[in-house]
Amino acid sequence: MHTTVGIIGGGPSGLLLARLLHNAGIDSVVLERRDRAYVEQRQRAGILEQATVDVLRAAGAGERLDREGMPHDGIELRYGGRAHRVDFPALTGGRRVWVYAQTEVVKDLVALQLADGGPLYFEAEVHAVEGVTASDRAEDRPVIRYTHEGREKTLTCDYVVGCDGFHGVTRGMLPEGVRTTYERTYPYSWLGILADAPPVYDELIYAHSERGFALASMRSESVSRLYLQVPNGTDPADWSDGRIWDELDARFALDANPEWRLKRGTVTSKAVLPMRSHVTEPMRYGRVFLAGDAAHIVPPTGAKGLNLAVADVIVLARAFAHLKDTGSTGLLDAYSDTCLRRVWRAEHFSYFMTTTLHADPEQSPFETRLQLSQLDRIATSEHAAAELAENYTGLPLAQ
Ligand code: DHB
């Protein structure tokens, strides 16, 4: 089998890329290692930047998002027993974000692709990408070897895009001497829960507390999504529902309103998420491209991961369309540099949000005071608040 673009990975970046290519008249094949149910159920973040919403709508995947997505015009910061709202439209000239879970985006894109798109194979395990060289010559086409329905198969591609996440195989196809990795791990994780409980407040709350970070988000009017900072290596089984709710209430506590409590409900899912920053450069080698988590990971604070993956894919789809229309590889050649500028901005913002809001177990009282001063600066300076709001709602996409 032959295709123009072989896409390894059927998460949001692979599926959206396939969609954008299809709409541009470019054929692709998506190979996803897991089954459909797994891909559609895995819980991830739920904040979409305006640019992400715009591209999903333009791609034809905006119908349910427009019905069920919840536009948000700000977030609340809680620290030192106080609350401060960051007003996004006022600070950014009208930008906002949307709450719509990544898993819903995936369901919408899978349905579209299966109804009207190129092949999307689930349980297709890639073993190797052969013929990967620094060269961009047509005769050096890469070949993907994979297993599907118990058979060994090959897919010859003009280009291969690795959308297969941090643990995927594609990044390893870039020779060691070519790749540089930048990495940071954090001395804490998140315990993320879903609960059948209405959110108490219609915006997200990010809380700094000496007990550790907490975040209140939502999935609908009756389902809350909540996160607690926990030590690395935490076993979710050690956190009973009661312990989770008590700890969340303690971290969100307000001096001016000591009666303030979350609404409690049955916890329906509980998982520990590690925190890491990672960037692999370059994001392209010969005819192989990396997009999304295959090339970069951000810690979740600030919800940049999915939006960053979408931005990569927009740049890449434009570059393939440009090649088709003009015969020029100019935009493909610029892909890595174009994406990495945005990637590093998001790396900095995610690091900033993470280290400003979490309690490092080794941190000194001096460092805690610095965090509180930084949060106070955001609460009292429009410039500091606008810096947060611009990054949170998403900087403009590169042209
Ligand atoms: C969510 C996740 C985040 O990491 C974040 O910063 C905000 C919201 C979420 O899952 O809703």
Side-chain angles (χ1 to χ4, degrees), residues 179-196:
R179 273 186 274 159
T180 308
T181 296
Y182 302 88
E183 209 159 21
R184 188 182 204 282
T185 55
Y186 297 83
Y188 34 74
S189 304
W190 279 9
L191 176 68
I193 68 155
L194 275 173
D196 288 332

Side-chain angles (χ1 to χ4, degrees), residues 141-179:
R141 286 213 179 96
V143 178
I144 302 177
R145 296 199 178 277
Y146 66 102
T147 310
H148 186 231
E149 294 173 339
R151 297 227 202 100
E152 295 291 319
K153 310 218 166 161
T154 58
L155 175 64
T156 309
C157 312
D158 289 352
Y159 294 94
V160 170
V161 183
C163 295
D164 50 348
F166 184 66
H167 299 287
V169 297
T170 318
R171 188 172 62 249
M173 303 300 152
L174 275 63
E176 295 238 354
V178 167
R179 273 186 274 159

Side-chain angles (χ1 to χ4, degrees), residues 12 43-44 50 73 76 108 129 147 151 155 172 189 195 216 239 241 258 266 282 286 290 328 337 347 352 371 396:
Q43 290 301 324
R44 291 287 191 272
Q50 185 68 55
D73 284 338
E76 187 172 294
D108 296 344
V129 184
T147 310
R151 297 227 202 100
L155 175 64
S189 304
W239 284 81
D241 292 12
T266 308
L290 301 176
S328 160
D337 288 344
E347 287 292 342
F352 165 79
Q371 290 178 319

Side-chain angles (χ1 to χ4, degrees), residues 43-47 75 98-102 190 193-194 204-206 213 215-219 224-227 273 299-305 349 353 392:
Q43 290 301 324
R44 291 287 191 272
I47 299 288
I75 56 169
W98 298 67
V99 175
Y100 188 68
Q102 171 171 328
W190 279 9
I193 68 155
L194 275 173
L204 269 61
I205 310 171
Y206 287 81
F213 171 74
L215 169 60
S217 181
M218 62 200 73
R219 290 292 175 264
S224 294
R225 175 78 169 147
L226 297 140
Y227 300 98
L273 328 170
T301 334
K304 285 291 133 200
F349 177 65
M353 289 290 280
Y392 197 104

